[in-house]
Protein backbone atom coordinates (compact mmCIF):
# COMPACT_ATOMS: atom_id res chain seq x y z
CA UNK A 1 0.00 0.00 0.00
CA UNK A 2 2.81 2.41 0.84
CA UNK A 3 5.07 1.93 -2.17
CA UNK A 4 3.24 0.00 -4.88
CA UNK A 5 -0.34 1.28 -4.82
CA UNK A 6 -1.09 4.10 -7.27
CA UNK A 7 -3.65 6.82 -6.50
CA UNK A 8 -6.09 5.17 -8.93
CA UNK A 9 -6.15 2.00 -6.80
CA UNK A 10 -4.13 -0.09 -9.25
CA UNK A 11 -0.55 -1.28 -8.79
CA UNK A 12 2.51 0.54 -10.02
CA UNK A 13 4.99 -1.54 -12.00
CA UNK A 14 7.59 -1.30 -9.27
CA UNK A 15 9.39 1.03 -6.92
CA UNK A 16 10.49 3.45 -8.22
CA UNK A 17 7.71 3.61 -10.79
CA UNK A 18 8.58 2.85 -14.41
CA UNK A 19 6.54 2.98 -17.61
CA UNK A 20 4.79 1.33 -19.32
CA UNK A 21 2.10 0.03 -17.01
CA UNK A 22 1.06 -3.57 -17.64
CA UNK A 23 -2.09 -5.55 -17.12
CA UNK A 24 -0.12 -8.50 -15.74
CA UNK A 25 0.45 -7.18 -12.17
CA UNK A 26 -3.21 -6.20 -11.94
CA UNK A 27 -4.23 -9.70 -13.00
CA UNK A 28 -2.08 -11.36 -10.35
CA UNK A 29 -3.25 -8.85 -7.71
CA UNK A 30 -6.81 -9.90 -8.53
CA UNK A 31 -5.76 -13.54 -8.20
CA UNK A 32 -4.11 -12.87 -4.84
CA UNK A 33 -7.25 -11.24 -3.46
CA UNK A 34 -9.33 -14.21 -4.60
CA UNK A 35 -6.87 -16.56 -2.87
CA UNK A 36 -7.12 -14.52 0.34
CA UNK A 37 -10.89 -14.80 0.19
CA UNK A 38 -10.88 -18.54 -0.43
CA UNK A 39 -8.13 -19.44 2.02
CA UNK A 40 -8.81 -17.23 5.06
CA UNK A 41 -11.80 -15.02 4.14
CA UNK A 42 -9.62 -11.95 4.58
CA UNK A 43 -11.78 -8.92 5.48
CA UNK A 44 -10.29 -6.74 2.72
CA UNK A 45 -10.41 -9.37 -0.02
CA UNK A 46 -13.89 -8.53 -1.29
CA UNK A 47 -13.25 -4.80 -1.69
CA UNK A 48 -9.86 -5.20 -3.32
CA UNK A 49 -11.00 -7.96 -5.65
CA UNK A 50 -13.91 -5.74 -6.63
CA UNK A 51 -11.52 -2.89 -7.41
CA UNK A 52 -9.44 -5.17 -9.64
CA UNK A 53 -12.52 -6.35 -11.50
CA UNK A 54 -13.69 -2.76 -11.91
CA UNK A 55 -10.35 -1.91 -13.53
CA UNK A 56 -10.83 -4.83 -15.90
CA UNK A 57 -14.38 -3.85 -16.82
CA UNK A 58 -13.78 -0.13 -17.26
CA UNK A 59 -10.22 0.03 -18.55
CA UNK A 60 -8.40 -3.18 -19.45
CA UNK A 61 -11.11 -4.96 -21.40
CA UNK A 62 -11.53 -3.60 -24.92
CA UNK A 63 -15.10 -4.56 -25.78
CA UNK A 64 -14.71 -3.60 -29.43
CA UNK A 65 -12.16 -6.38 -29.99
CA UNK A 66 -12.92 -8.63 -27.02
CA UNK A 67 -9.28 -8.43 -25.93
CA UNK A 68 -7.03 -7.20 -23.13
CA UNK A 69 -3.88 -5.31 -24.05
CA UNK A 70 -0.58 -5.86 -22.31
CA UNK A 71 0.93 -2.35 -22.11
CA UNK A 72 -0.50 1.02 -21.07
CA UNK A 73 0.37 4.63 -20.36
CA UNK A 74 0.23 6.05 -16.84
CA UNK A 75 -3.42 7.03 -17.35
CA UNK A 76 -4.35 3.57 -18.66
CA UNK A 77 -4.55 4.32 -22.35
CA UNK A 78 -2.99 1.71 -24.66
CA UNK A 79 0.74 2.32 -25.01
CA UNK A 80 1.75 4.07 -28.23
CA UNK A 81 2.45 2.07 -31.37
CA UNK A 82 2.79 -1.66 -31.66
CA UNK A 83 3.30 -2.05 -27.90
CA UNK A 84 -0.26 -0.98 -27.19
CA UNK A 85 -1.58 -3.45 -29.75
CA UNK A 86 -0.01 -6.49 -28.08
CA UNK A 87 -2.31 -9.28 -26.85
CA UNK A 88 -1.26 -12.52 -25.14
CA UNK A 89 -3.94 -15.19 -25.65
CA UNK A 90 -2.82 -16.99 -22.51
CA UNK A 91 -3.81 -13.96 -20.45
CA UNK A 92 -7.24 -13.88 -22.10
CA UNK A 93 -7.74 -17.44 -20.87
CA UNK A 94 -6.32 -16.59 -17.43
CA UNK A 95 -8.73 -13.68 -17.02
CA UNK A 96 -11.59 -16.02 -18.00
CA UNK A 97 -10.75 -18.24 -15.05
CA UNK A 98 -10.29 -15.30 -12.69
CA UNK A 99 -13.62 -13.73 -13.57
CA UNK A 100 -15.43 -17.03 -13.07
CA UNK A 101 -13.57 -17.61 -9.78
CA UNK A 102 -14.60 -14.16 -8.57
CA UNK A 103 -18.21 -14.89 -9.44
CA UNK A 104 -18.07 -18.29 -7.71
CA UNK A 105 -16.47 -17.06 -4.49
CA UNK A 106 -18.75 -14.05 -4.07
CA UNK A 107 -22.01 -15.51 -5.35
CA UNK A 108 -22.17 -13.26 -8.41
CA UNK A 109 -24.05 -14.12 -11.60
CA UNK A 110 -22.03 -15.54 -14.47
CA UNK A 111 -21.42 -12.57 -16.76
CA UNK A 112 -20.67 -12.65 -20.50
CA UNK A 113 -17.17 -11.14 -20.44
CA UNK A 114 -15.42 -14.35 -19.43
CA UNK A 115 -16.91 -16.26 -22.35
CA UNK A 116 -15.95 -13.46 -24.75
CA UNK A 117 -12.35 -13.66 -23.60
CA UNK A 118 -12.30 -17.44 -23.95
CA UNK A 119 -13.74 -17.24 -27.45
CA UNK A 120 -10.97 -14.83 -28.43
CA UNK A 121 -8.34 -17.06 -26.83
CA UNK A 122 -9.81 -20.04 -28.67
CA UNK A 123 -9.40 -18.16 -31.94
CA UNK A 124 -5.64 -18.26 -31.29
CA UNK A 125 -5.50 -22.05 -31.00
CA UNK A 126 -3.78 -23.92 -33.80
CA UNK A 127 -6.38 -26.51 -34.91
CA UNK A 128 -3.65 -28.95 -35.95
CA UNK A 129 -2.09 -29.15 -32.47
CA UNK A 130 -4.61 -27.61 -30.06
CA UNK A 131 -1.93 -25.18 -28.83
CA UNK A 132 -2.28 -21.42 -28.41
CA UNK A 133 0.31 -19.04 -29.83
CA UNK A 134 2.29 -16.72 -27.60
CA UNK A 135 1.27 -13.32 -28.98
CA UNK A 136 -1.21 -11.75 -31.39
CA UNK A 137 -2.44 -8.24 -32.09
CA UNK A 138 -5.91 -6.81 -31.46
CA UNK A 139 -7.09 -8.20 -34.82
CA UNK A 140 -5.84 -11.69 -33.83
CA UNK A 141 -2.97 -11.65 -36.34
CA UNK A 142 -0.10 -13.78 -35.03
CA UNK A 143 2.97 -11.89 -33.83
CA UNK A 144 4.80 -14.75 -32.13
CA UNK A 145 3.83 -18.22 -33.25
CA UNK A 146 5.80 -19.99 -30.53
CA UNK A 147 3.85 -21.71 -27.75
CA UNK A 148 4.69 -21.58 -24.02
CA UNK A 149 3.48 -24.28 -21.65
CA UNK A 150 1.69 -21.88 -19.29
CA UNK A 151 -0.69 -20.84 -22.06
CA UNK A 152 -2.02 -24.37 -22.24
CA UNK A 153 -2.53 -24.61 -18.47
CA UNK A 154 -4.55 -21.39 -18.56
CA UNK A 155 -6.63 -22.66 -21.46
CA UNK A 156 -7.38 -25.77 -19.39
CA UNK A 157 -8.45 -23.62 -16.41
CA UNK A 158 -10.61 -21.39 -18.59
CA UNK A 159 -12.54 -24.30 -20.08
CA UNK A 160 -12.89 -25.86 -16.62
CA UNK A 161 -14.34 -22.59 -15.33
CA UNK A 162 -16.84 -22.56 -18.17
CA UNK A 163 -17.69 -26.21 -17.54
CA UNK A 164 -18.42 -25.34 -13.90
CA UNK A 165 -21.10 -22.85 -15.01
CA UNK A 166 -22.60 -25.33 -17.44
CA UNK A 167 -21.30 -23.95 -20.74
CA UNK A 168 -22.05 -26.43 -23.56
CA UNK A 169 -18.99 -28.29 -24.78
CA UNK A 170 -16.68 -26.82 -22.13
CA UNK A 171 -16.10 -30.08 -20.28
CA UNK A 172 -14.97 -31.90 -23.41
CA UNK A 173 -12.83 -28.91 -24.41
CA UNK A 174 -11.17 -28.91 -20.97
CA UNK A 175 -10.32 -32.60 -21.23
CA UNK A 176 -8.95 -32.11 -24.75
CA UNK A 177 -6.81 -29.18 -23.56
CA UNK A 178 -5.47 -31.31 -20.70
CA UNK A 179 -4.55 -34.07 -23.12
CA UNK A 180 -2.81 -31.56 -25.37
CA UNK A 181 -0.87 -30.17 -22.41
CA UNK A 182 0.23 -33.66 -21.45
CA UNK A 183 1.13 -34.69 -25.00
CA UNK A 184 3.21 -31.65 -25.93
CA UNK A 185 4.64 -30.36 -22.64
CA UNK A 186 4.44 -32.58 -19.57
CA UNK A 187 6.66 -35.46 -18.43
CA UNK A 188 9.30 -34.36 -20.90
CA UNK A 189 12.28 -34.51 -21.08
CA UNK A 190 12.23 -36.29 -17.72
CA UNK A 191 9.49 -37.80 -15.56
CA UNK A 192 8.72 -34.75 -13.41
CA UNK A 193 9.69 -32.13 -15.97
CA UNK A 194 8.13 -30.29 -18.85
CA UNK A 195 8.98 -28.69 -22.15
CA UNK A 196 8.42 -24.97 -21.69
CA UNK A 197 8.34 -23.70 -25.27
CA UNK A 198 7.60 -25.07 -28.72
CA UNK A 199 8.34 -23.39 -32.02
CA UNK A 200 5.83 -22.58 -34.78
CA UNK A 201 5.89 -26.22 -35.88
CA UNK A 202 5.29 -27.47 -32.30
CA UNK A 203 8.88 -28.71 -32.04
CA UNK A 204 10.50 -28.34 -28.60
CA UNK A 205 12.81 -25.35 -28.21
CA UNK A 206 15.93 -25.99 -26.16
CA UNK A 207 15.36 -23.70 -23.21
CA UNK A 208 15.63 -24.18 -19.42
CA UNK A 209 12.69 -25.63 -17.49
CA UNK A 210 11.41 -22.61 -15.52
CA UNK A 211 10.37 -23.45 -11.97
CA UNK A 212 7.60 -20.84 -12.25
CA UNK A 213 5.65 -23.15 -14.56
CA UNK A 214 5.04 -25.57 -11.67
CA UNK A 215 2.52 -23.09 -10.23
CA UNK A 216 0.56 -23.08 -13.49
CA UNK A 217 0.55 -26.86 -13.79
CA UNK A 218 -0.35 -27.35 -10.13
CA UNK A 219 -3.37 -25.03 -10.23
CA UNK A 220 -4.58 -26.56 -13.52
CA UNK A 221 -4.49 -30.03 -11.94
CA UNK A 222 -6.29 -28.79 -8.81
CA UNK A 223 -9.00 -27.19 -10.93
CA UNK A 224 -9.38 -30.35 -12.99
CA UNK A 225 -9.87 -32.36 -9.83
CA UNK A 226 -12.38 -29.83 -8.47
CA UNK A 227 -14.47 -29.57 -11.62
CA UNK A 228 -14.07 -32.95 -13.30
CA UNK A 229 -13.37 -35.17 -10.32
CA UNK A 230 -10.68 -37.80 -9.88
CA UNK A 231 -12.43 -40.22 -12.26
CA UNK A 232 -11.66 -38.01 -15.26
Amino acid sequence: DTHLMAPDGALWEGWPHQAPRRQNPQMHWFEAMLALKEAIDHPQAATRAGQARHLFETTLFDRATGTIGEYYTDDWRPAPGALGDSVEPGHLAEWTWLLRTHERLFGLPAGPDARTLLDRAGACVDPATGLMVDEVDRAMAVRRGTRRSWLQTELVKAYLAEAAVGAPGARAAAIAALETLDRHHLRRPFAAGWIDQLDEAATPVETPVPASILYHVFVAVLEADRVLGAAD
Side-chain angles (χ1 to χ4, degrees):
D1 283 352
T2 302
H3 296 295
L4 293 175
M5 191 65 66
D8 62 9
L11 296 177
W12 290 122
E13 280 298 303
W15 184 260
H17 166 58
Q18 294 181 351
R21 299 181 85 169
R22 294 182 300 149
Q23 72 78 29
N24 195 51
Q26 320 307 323
M27 180 183 70
H28 286 297
W29 176 255
F30 189 27
E31 183 178 21
M33 296 305 103
L34 297 177
L36 281 176
K37 166 65 178 176
E38 190 163 29
I40 61 173
D41 197 19
H42 193 283
Q44 296 184 38
T47 298
R48 294 185 182 223
Q51 290 172 340
R53 182 161 188 151
H54 180 73
L55 179 68
F56 162 82
E57 292 176 339
T58 61
T59 304
L60 299 179
F61 184 40
D62 178 27
R63 298 184 184 280
T65 61
T67 63
I68 303 171
E70 290 294 320
Y71 302 100
Y72 296 84
T73 62
D74 279 354
D75 57 356
W76 287 113
R77 291 176 296 173
L83 203 63
D85 205 34
S86 174
V87 173
E88 294 191 17
H91 286 150
L92 303 184
E94 196 161 359
W95 272 100
T96 298
W97 177 71
L98 289 169
L99 294 174
R100 291 291 185 236
T101 301
H102 184 237
E103 292 161 357
R104 173 174 62 85
L105 292 178
F106 292 96
L108 303 174
D113 292 345
R115 186 67 208 192
T116 298
L117 289 172
L118 182 53
D119 286 344
R120 301 306 278 164
C124 303
V125 172
D126 173 12
T129 62
L131 295 165
M132 275 198 299
V133 298
D134 280 334
E135 183 185 7
V136 298
D137 63 18
R138 297 279 190 174
M140 299 287 105
V142 176
R143 284 185 167 182
R144 283 186 291 129
T146 50
R147 303 101 191 270
R148 292 281 309 277
S149 54
W150 71 264
L151 279 73
Q152 197 65 25
T153 65
E154 299 310 316
L155 187 62
V156 167
K157 288 161 56 182
Y159 278 125
L160 289 169
E162 287 299 283
V165 298
R171 183 184 182 91
I175 292 172
L178 276 166
E179 292 172 346
T180 299
L181 173 66
D182 187 49
R183 180 167 60 253
H184 287 282
H185 290 287
L186 299 186
R187 293 183 288 191
R188 301 170 65 195
F190 47 89
W194 49 85
I195 296 292
D196 182 54
Q197 190 170 57
L198 308 173
D199 65 16
E200 293 85 347
T203 302
V205 177
E206 292 188 10
T207 59
V209 180
S212 61
I213 301 304
L214 180 58
Y215 146 78
H216 290 276
V217 174
F218 183 68
V219 177
V221 171
L222 286 180
E223 285 294 279
D225 184 65
R226 181 181 69 84
V227 177
L228 300 178
D232 289 310

